[in-house]
Amino acid sequence: MSETYRIAIVGSGPAGLSAASRAAQLGLAHVLLEKADHLSDTIYKYQKGKHVMATPSQLVLRSDLDFAAGKREKVLGTWDEQTGGNKVNVRLNSEVVSIEGEQGAFRIALKDGATIETETIVLAIGTQGNPNLVRCPVGEGAVVQYTLDDPQEYVDEHITVIGAGDAGIENALGLAADPEQRNMVTIINRSADFATAKAANVQALTAAQDAGRMIILTETTASAIEAGEIVFDTRDGEARARCDRVIARMGSAPPRAFVEACGVEFSGPDRTAFPRLSPTFESSKPGIYVIGALAGYPLIKHCMNQGHDVVEFIKGNTALKPADEPILEGKFKGLPGRLSVAEWLEALRSSVTILEPMTPLQMREFMLDSEAHFYRAGATIFDRNEPGDSLFAIARGSVLVQVDPDDPAKTVPIETGSIFGEVGLISGRRRGATVIACEDAICVEIPRMAALKLQSQVPPAKAEITRISIERQLLQMFGSGLSREDVAPIVETAEIVPVKAGDTIIEEGQEGYDIFVIRVGSMVVEKTIGRKPVFLSYLPAGTYVGEMAVLEGGRRTATVRAAVKSEVIRIDGAAFKALLEKNPALLARAHREMETRQDLNDYVEAKKDSFSGAVDMYSSIASFLVEGGIGEATDVLLIDENLCVGCDNCEKACADSHDGLSRLDREAGRTYAHLHVPTSCRHCEHPHCMADCPPNAIHRGVDGEVFIDETCIGCGNCQRNCPYGVIRMEKKPPRKPPLLSWLLFGFGPGPGEPSHDWIDKRVSPDTPKVAVKCDMCAGIEGGPACVRACPTGAAIRVAPEQFLSVARLEEGTI
Amino acid sequence: MATRGAEGAESYDSASQRHAARHESFLRYRGLFWAKLASVVALLAVVSYLLVDVEPRHNGGSWYGYALGTIGALLILWLTLLGVRKRAMTPGRWSLKAWTSAHVYLGISLIFIATLHTGFQLGWNVHTLAWALMLLVILSGLFGITVYGFLPRYLSDNRDETTEEQMLATVGELDRQLREAAQPLDTRHAAIVQRALDEEVAWASVRRRLFGTRFLGTSADSLAEIRRETLLLRAPDPHLDRVEALLARKVAALQRIRSHMRVRALLEAWLYVHVPMTFATIAALSAHIVSVFFYW
């Protein structure tokens, strides 16, 4: 290999393919290296017939390859054909082992021993990484594979699945699902439990074992794999079994180590960090460019556009404007002043403290996710109690926070460059105060996901947001009349402590002098009465606890533990006491609040003899709900099974209010003392479903509801991430005939969700499945249909802090 | 309790919305509002019946009789509309619980309105038929309220967090395991197991569906037979023991799903009287009204 290429492209996914096609079109000497024996391995591994979506729809595709939403086979077929047509120099089976050298003279070592010489390198290897390989010796003729495309391909085989994470379990279940295939499936797990798998998967697995369809070996590893046989190393010694095929699903090593070994720096130590890049996608190592998912762009269209652009940049076409330029132009259109996109980006970046450390490329990406707003003096930016979890940054002008809900004249200013709205961002709860523009102002609204990304990419931004949020939370909680200077000593001593679900922060009877402010998650307060823990109260984020010991002295009077994974701010009790002593009004208020708590303690103490049954009941129901994850809910559907006659009108109403698909399963779910928590979205404070949504289609709406918008690409990530199993992947059915024609003439399937057969007959098989979940009937007059349609009053929707209050015990309504 | 940044927002703007969302049953809805209203209506009917002097005696044809008759007929039509309201998921600030509450109490007040409308002139004619059918509907409705009062609890307890689908799946799964476990058995024992496998989950006879016990059914018989056989054996037979254990589980699983279906059937059974009789009432009522005007 004496030829030196101008560009070597590593990885033939959408980004790499598009880059190689551009290079071929421009006539640059190039090579496309792909480790697999086919192009686009990630999409190749999608299940057969999977619908590939093309979002964001407003983004123009700029590539020499075509791409439109369609079936996996069609998308791959088009690319294969056009890659050939564009005369791309592809080298398959070429796994890159190392990259050495400098710009103009890189040497890429391949696994097969060959070396490629190139002037520049484009890394488009995605984030999938390489699967971890089996470590035991593999004999000649033994079949070991790291993926499973179609479980129905295998018949009459003895198959061992190594690795009991979700991927392994799903494969094993798939292979054993159909008894007609007569597969003998064994799954082995190194540890005794299935810590990394979802509970539903583990349940299905043990059910399959009970049914005799699967063998589960725990605390077992494979020590040798031979043709037709596998040797296990079990707790009780060595064991041999017949084995025709091994499927190893032991996770994958992220490509970061490899990328760093090439000399590319990442923006931070976080697992979510991306390489640091210039506006032309060049990494910190000159001559190495990074594009695609590895650069932080998981969507196919973005990847393809970058592939096109990066080759243009390498060729020297620096005047090229990115394809997303029109989108950004649209975002800045409403702002006063005539600046270009680049100037606006620079203006925002330089005027907002937390945005300052960003690179122009990061800023660009950041603004694609965020919005810029212009507010006239006096305009309301958001209202108290409005749901919202976005962060605002002030780029020009200033705003006023109305700290006293009863007196709008009491305000605190926030100046240019600072942020507001961070409490909603951190706690996921409603806005704590109304904010209005003090003078004409330009603000950047940063949605939750973008804000989280910003914090992981730009550590100084994270530190600043944390500091401001602690300061504000204290100011807001302890009320007006305090200044930033007053709380400064407390902020200094404050420390953010993560608390695991179930861990205690305050132990009854212990000495302790600290105050805890609940920043994220929620806590329950319990008191031991007659050697039993009795539930006293539920503390949502934004409350504080522990002041009794500071005010009164003495030991802790109750135990406080985390209902869900939480974060608290620990404040030194002495600093807090000093603050109280300086502010008599605050001291008086703290005393009043403490008395309320004491009254509650006394009430429960008093009740324990006369009404111990009621207290017990309340306490155990509260514990049941907290265990069921209600601690992270903001609004949850409960069914009183003393009243539920099982008519399923709630499900029917849900389906009829939403495209014919029910978003709740009444019968499924946990029940305690006739209180049933059906399988239905509880609109978590920090929704798990939002965590990994490629098109960012999941949002929190104006009434606090978590909903999925129409840009859903049907990937199923949210369904997998939801610990409560409330998201379904379904095809949208056609409209049903109207109710009266069913009532009078029997046309159509009638009220409620039509049967799958009815839908399948009327929907084309190509229709993509999309994620469907409860949106709390947002935008429907009258509110949640499930509650409105319950004939007996069994279905109620509650916010946990309203439901879990002792007031209900006194009313006797539990 | 501790201070909150944002107090729980009051998102329900009207009183009726608040009541709809409140944890109270349809019978106690809005502090028994409809019960009180219906009582007032019934009381008014009785008092006016006693106060109004109709010559020669109270009958459906007087102005007073027509007034009660019109109110009653309109009320019947409105009560029937609950069936439409229940199925038409239109947007709007209505709650089916409120409708059910009104349906129940106004329906009961109909006993007074319609009976006073007759002026107690009953006979073997279409007019009295309409009245009698209406009473039948109301009585079946009262039965419905009664079972709604205590059966849901049984349904919930029996279900014990499993769904109907899971109950059925359990029976199917046990059948599969039974079939496998029966492979090593001799023909006679296999035949006993086969009888258990042949048993359908749902009984054909309605009487058994509603009143059958756990000791009925071929699976229960097979279990008893296998138990007798194992008692007679000198050495324990592991295959028979496994079959016995599986059969016992199947009987329990059948018991659960049958109880489930029984309670659901009881919760619905009254509707098979209530709804058809409603239409019969409306038919008889139409005949009553037409004939009254025809023979005027």
Side-chain angles (χ1 to χ4, degrees):
Chain A
M1 285 267 180
S2 55
E3 187 185 0
T4 299
Y5 294 108
R6 180 77 198 278
I7 307 178
I9 298 143
V10 187
S12 73
L17 270 184
S18 179
S21 290
R22 189 73 214 147
Q25 290 287 305
L26 292 175
L28 300 176
H30 69 282
V31 62
L32 174 63
L33 304 172
E34 169 56 51
K35 72 168 186 233
D37 62 358
H38 46 254
L39 296 175
S40 250
D41 192 46
T42 302
I43 295 174
Y44 186 88
K45 280 185 192 149
Y46 281 3
Q47 75 198 45
K48 280 191 182 132
K50 181 179 163 68
H51 185 88
V52 183
M53 299 220 190
T55 47
S57 49
Q58 76 268 30
L59 185 64
V60 189
L61 181 69
R62 185 154 74 188
S63 171
D64 299 297
L65 297 176
D66 288 332
F67 172 58
K71 280 200 173 178
R72 155 195 179 270
E73 287 73 15
K74 183 159 173 280
V75 170
L76 290 176
T78 311
W79 288 350
D80 282 347
E81 194 182 302
Q82 294 183 345
T83 306
N86 289 340
K87 300 210 168 18
V88 173
N89 178 25
V90 183
R91 195 181 194 284
L92 294 174
N93 299 312
S94 304
E95 185 173 345
V96 174
V97 180
S98 70
I99 291 175
E100 283 167 10
E102 298 299 325
Q103 182 164 23
F106 285 114
R107 285 181 312 283
I108 302 179
L110 300 182
K111 203 174 185 179
D112 59 12
T115 307
I116 305 265
E117 295 189 357
T118 176
E119 291 172 18
T120 56
I121 295 173
V122 174
L123 285 180
I125 56 177
T127 51
Q128 296 282 310
N130 292 321
N132 292 331
L133 305 181
V134 290
R135 267 159 296 187
C136 66
V138 177
E140 186 99 0
V143 185
V144 178
Q145 62 190 59
Y146 295 92
T147 60
L148 175 69
D149 294 337
D150 184 1
Q152 300 192 340
E153 270 175 37
Y154 308 103
V155 175
D156 259 334
E157 285 194 20
H158 286 244
I159 302 174
T160 301
V161 178
I162 304 180
D166 283 318
I169 294 180
E170 280 162 22
N171 283 176
L173 289 171
L175 287 164
D178 186 358
E180 300 288 298
Q181 285 175 244
R182 294 178 305 278
N183 288 322
M184 273 310 300
V185 183
T186 307
I187 182 164
I188 65 173
N189 185 14
R190 201 156 31 143
S191 51
D193 49 7
F194 302 90
T196 58
K198 274 174 69 173
N201 271 337
V202 178
Q203 238 170 28
L205 191 69
T206 35
Q209 182 187 33
D210 294 344
R213 282 185 286 145
M214 179 146 356
I215 301 164
I216 304 176
L217 300 175
T218 53
E219 296 180 73
T220 298
T221 52
S223 54
I225 303 170
E226 283 142 33
E229 194 177 49
I230 185 165
V231 185
F232 295 126
D233 185 10
T234 72
R235 209 181 43 180
D236 309 321
E238 198 181 86
R240 284 172 178 273
R242 194 183 141 191
C243 173
D244 306 315
R245 183 180 301 277
V246 170
I247 293 171
R249 299 305 298 263
M250 300 173 298
S252 56
R256 178 168 177 160
F258 167 76
V259 177
E260 281 182 324
C262 301
V264 173
E265 283 171 21
F266 278 65
S267 62
D270 266 30
R271 220 170 47 84
T272 48
F274 294 108
R276 209 193 305 277
L277 300 177
S278 78
T280 57
F281 302 108
E282 191 164 10
S283 69
S284 55
K285 172 99 176 169
I288 296 186
Y289 296 77
V290 179
I291 56 171
L294 181 62
Y297 298 82
L299 293 173
I300 295 176
K301 251 193 199 172
H302 276 146
C303 293
M304 295 180 71
N305 286 352
Q306 288 173 3
H308 174 280
D309 292 356
V310 76
V311 172
E312 289 285 341
F313 291 142
I314 292 172
K315 190 175 167 263
N317 179 7
T318 46
L320 181 77
K321 291 258 187 279
D324 47 34
E325 191 83 357
I327 301 178
L328 288 176
E329 268 168 19
K331 293 203 179 207
F332 296 131
K333 214 163 64 189
L335 303 186
R338 286 205 187 149
L339 301 182
S340 71
V341 166
E343 285 165 332
W344 267 122
L345 290 175
E346 183 50 29
L348 297 179
R349 191 190 66 79
S350 56
S351 53
V352 176
T353 325
I354 59 166
L355 302 182
E356 226 178 307
M358 280 209 272
T359 65
L361 190 70
Q362 281 174 327
M363 193 62 206
R364 213 177 173 91
E365 152 107 32
F366 169 79
M367 270 320 291
L368 280 175
D369 294 336
S370 308
E371 294 296 334
H373 302 288
F374 172 65
Y375 301 99
R376 288 257 169 233
T380 301
I381 299 172
F382 56 70
D383 277 314
R384 181 183 158 81
N385 273 342
E386 200 176 289
D389 51 12
S390 53
L391 178 71
F392 284 80
I394 311 169
R396 195 180 293 171
S398 63
V399 302
L400 293 173
V401 185
Q402 297 179 351
V403 284
D404 189 341
D406 303 322
D407 182 6
K410 265 193 203 163
T411 54
V412 173
I414 300 179
E415 64 288 356
T416 313
S418 189
I419 54 167
F420 59 96
E422 75 292 334
V423 176
L425 167 74
I426 292 156
S427 73
R429 302 220 169 224
R430 291 166 186 269
R431 300 291 189 193
T434 300
V435 177
I436 58 169
C438 176
E439 52 197 302
D440 287 1
I442 294 176
C443 295
V444 182
E445 182 176 3
I446 313 165
R448 183 178 149 71
M449 287 312 293
L452 295 181
K453 202 156 143 193
L454 169 73
Q455 293 187 60
S456 75
Q457 284 180 354
V458 190
K462 182 173 184 165
E464 180 67 5
I465 293 174
T466 307
R467 193 194 63 75
I468 293 181
S469 69
I470 293 180
E471 182 185 291
R472 298 257 176 83
Q473 191 148 35
L474 297 178
L475 281 175
Q476 191 177 24
M477 263 184 0
F478 300 134
S480 48
L482 287 187
S483 67
R484 278 163 66 180
E485 290 71 39
D486 290 332
V487 294
I490 298 193
V491 175
E492 251 167 60
T493 67
E495 179 195 1
I496 291 183
V497 187
V499 192
K500 278 195 290 211
D503 280 6
T504 55
I505 52 168
I506 293 179
E507 195 94 44
E508 186 178 350
Q510 301 266 311
E511 300 271 2
Y513 209 52
D514 290 336
I515 309 263
F516 295 91
V517 175
I518 299 152
R519 185 168 184 261
V520 176
S522 58
M523 301 270 157
V524 291
V525 185
E526 289 168 343
K527 192 171 178 58
T528 310
I529 294 176
R531 270 181 284 165
K532 262 193 294 184
V534 169
F535 184 94
L536 282 191
S537 63
Y538 169 86
L539 302 177
T543 55
Y544 66 92
V545 65
E547 81 292 355
M548 232 185 250
V550 176
L551 293 173
E552 296 271 277
R555 291 167 184 271
R556 301 290 195 187
T557 56
T559 295
V560 181
R561 63 183 175 87
V564 288
K565 186 167 167 265
S566 308
E567 254 178 47
V568 294
I569 307 171
R570 195 207 334 251
I571 297 171
D572 178 38
F576 183 68
K577 195 162 191 178
L579 174 76
L580 287 181
E581 275 159 5
K582 264 194 273 174
N583 297 273
L586 182 61
L587 183 66
R589 217 185 95 190
H591 263 291
R592 270 201 311 280
E593 272 160 19
M594 192 189 67
E595 272 158 28
T596 326
R597 283 191 201 204
Q598 215 133 35
D599 286 350
L600 177 78
N601 275 355
D602 297 346
Y603 173 79
V604 172
E605 284 271 11
K607 283 283 169 187
K608 79 172 189 229
D609 299 322
S610 51
F611 279 127
S612 75
V615 172
D616 266 3
M617 192 63 176
Y618 167 71
S619 184
S620 48
I621 287 183
S623 309
F624 159 71
L625 290 175
V626 167
E627 265 165 40
I630 208 175
E632 62 178 330
T634 62
D635 182 290
V636 59
L637 175 65
L638 297 178
I639 291 179
D640 180 353
E641 291 203 334
N642 288 313
L643 294 172
C644 176
V645 296
C647 66
D648 280 333
N649 218 38
C650 44
E651 284 186 19
K652 289 177 192 156
C654 181
D656 287 347
S657 305
H658 300 98
D659 301 332
L661 292 172
S662 170
R663 288 118 188 258
L664 91 104
D665 185 342
R666 176 192 59 83
E667 226 179 4
R670 303 285 317 274
T671 311
Y672 181 80
H674 302 120
L675 191 63
H676 180 58
V677 187
T679 299
S680 157
C681 181
R682 54 273 312 270
H683 305 277
C684 300
E685 283 169 357
H686 292 299
H688 304 267
C689 52
M690 270 191 203
D692 187 14
C693 175
N696 225 343
I698 308 180
H699 314 276
R700 192 181 283 281
V702 288
D703 289 321
E705 78 280 8
V706 175
F707 70 99
I708 304 177
D709 69 22
E710 67 291 342
T711 60
C712 171
I713 57 171
C715 66
N717 279 359
C718 51
Q719 187 193 30
R720 283 186 288 278
N721 284 333
C722 174
Y724 305 109
V726 304
I727 301 181
R728 304 203 291 156
M729 305 300 300
E730 293 292 343
K731 295 178 177 180
K732 193 180 146 184
R735 279 193 78 84
K736 291 185 294 192
L739 177 69
L740 273 182
S741 61
W742 170 78
L743 261 180
L744 301 177
F745 310 111
F747 289 140
E753 183 170 317
S755 69
H756 264 121
D757 289 345
W758 190 88
I759 299 175
D760 285 345
K761 258 183 234 154
R762 284 159 185 83
V763 175
S764 93
D766 294 346
T767 314
K769 285 186 177 177
V770 291
V772 183
K773 72 175 281 301
C774 167
D775 61 359
M776 258 159 77
C777 287
I780 298 180
E781 200 200 346
C786 45
V787 175
R788 277 192 294 144
C790 179
T792 63
I796 49 172
R797 292 202 81 98
V798 293
E801 63 267 33
Q802 288 163 5
F803 198 73
L804 296 178
S805 96
V806 172
R808 300 181 59 85
L809 181 64
E810 291 175 55
E811 284 171 14
T813 44
I814 278 193
Chain B
M1 209 61 246
T3 3
R4 256 310 282 280
E7 293 300 326
E10 192 61 58
S11 56
Y12 296 103
D13 32 15
S14 71
S16 66
Q17 281 291 296
R18 263 204 305 282
H19 282 293
R22 208 131 126 207
H23 183 194
E24 55 186 6
S25 78
F26 65 105
L27 291 175
R28 296 174 168 217
Y29 172 75
R30 242 176 115 183
L32 298 173
F33 172 80
W34 290 105
K36 290 173 188 160
L37 187 81
S39 308
V40 171
V41 168
L43 200 67
L44 272 180
V46 173
V47 170
S48 60
Y49 185 85
L50 295 177
L51 292 184
V52 173
D53 201 11
V54 178
E55 285 302 323
R57 53 164 298 185
H58 271 298
N59 67 77
S62 67
W63 67 267
Y64 180 74
Y66 277 133
L68 281 183
T70 312
I71 293 171
L74 292 177
L75 196 51
I76 286 176
L77 292 179
W78 182 81
L79 292 168
T80 312
L81 284 179
L82 182 74
V84 178
R85 173 75 287 174
K86 178 182 166 186
R87 294 172 176 87
M89 254 336 284
T90 53
R93 305 197 172 280
W94 55 273
S95 109
L96 194 60
K97 175 165 75 173
W99 272 70
T100 322
S101 188
H103 180 90
V104 166
Y105 291 115
L106 292 180
I108 294 171
S109 76
L110 198 55
I111 300 179
F112 295 88
I113 295 170
T115 308
L116 296 177
H117 164 69
T118 66
F120 299 97
Q121 289 182 323
L122 303 172
W124 296 103
N125 51 35
V126 72
H127 316 293
T128 304
L129 176 69
W131 175 81
L133 285 172
M134 181 206 76
L135 277 191
L136 196 59
V137 172
I138 296 174
L139 287 178
S140 64
L142 287 172
F143 175 80
I145 298 171
T146 318
V147 292
Y148 273 24
F150 66 91
L151 281 184
R153 221 160 302 148
Y154 287 112
L155 194 67
S156 173
D157 289 338
N158 178 64
R159 212 159 71 72
D160 197 19
E161 299 191 349
T162 54
T163 65
E164 197 175 306
E165 218 172 298
Q166 286 166 340
M167 292 182 215
L168 282 171
T170 309
V171 174
E173 185 53 43
L174 287 169
D175 274 350
R176 207 189 58 73
Q177 293 184 37
L178 262 177
R179 197 169 294 125
E180 249 168 51
Q183 297 307 321
L185 300 186
D186 59 37
T187 348
R188 197 168 55 82
H189 289 140
I192 300 177
V193 175
Q194 188 57 47
R195 281 203 290 282
L197 289 176
D198 290 339
E199 185 179 10
E200 297 283 332
V201 169
W203 269 315
S205 121
V206 174
R207 199 176 57 85
R208 271 204 172 181
R209 272 191 201 184
L210 291 179
F211 307 107
T213 72
R214 64 177 304 167
F215 304 109
L216 287 173
T218 48
S219 294
D221 296 344
S222 299
L223 175 61
E225 276 179 66
I226 295 280
R227 282 215 167 123
R228 269 199 301 278
E229 298 277 334
T230 46
L231 281 178
L232 294 175
L233 286 178
R234 221 165 283 148
D237 177 345
H239 298 303
L240 268 190
D241 285 349
R242 177 160 164 73
V243 164
E244 184 190 325
L246 284 170
L247 275 174
R249 280 173 66 192
K250 184 177 176 189
V251 170
L254 279 176
Q255 151 85 0
R256 171 178 281 187
I257 180 131
R258 283 174 179 160
S259 296
H260 180 77
M261 296 198 302
R262 174 182 313 136
V263 177
R264 289 208 60 166
L266 285 172
L267 278 170
E268 277 175 18
W270 64 277
L271 280 169
Y272 288 91
V273 177
H274 195 71
V275 176
M277 284 306 124
T278 300
F279 289 102
T281 305
I282 292 175
L285 188 64
S286 311
H288 157 67
I289 293 167
V290 168
S291 63
V292 161
F293 283 100
F294 195 76
Y295 292 112
W296 197 339

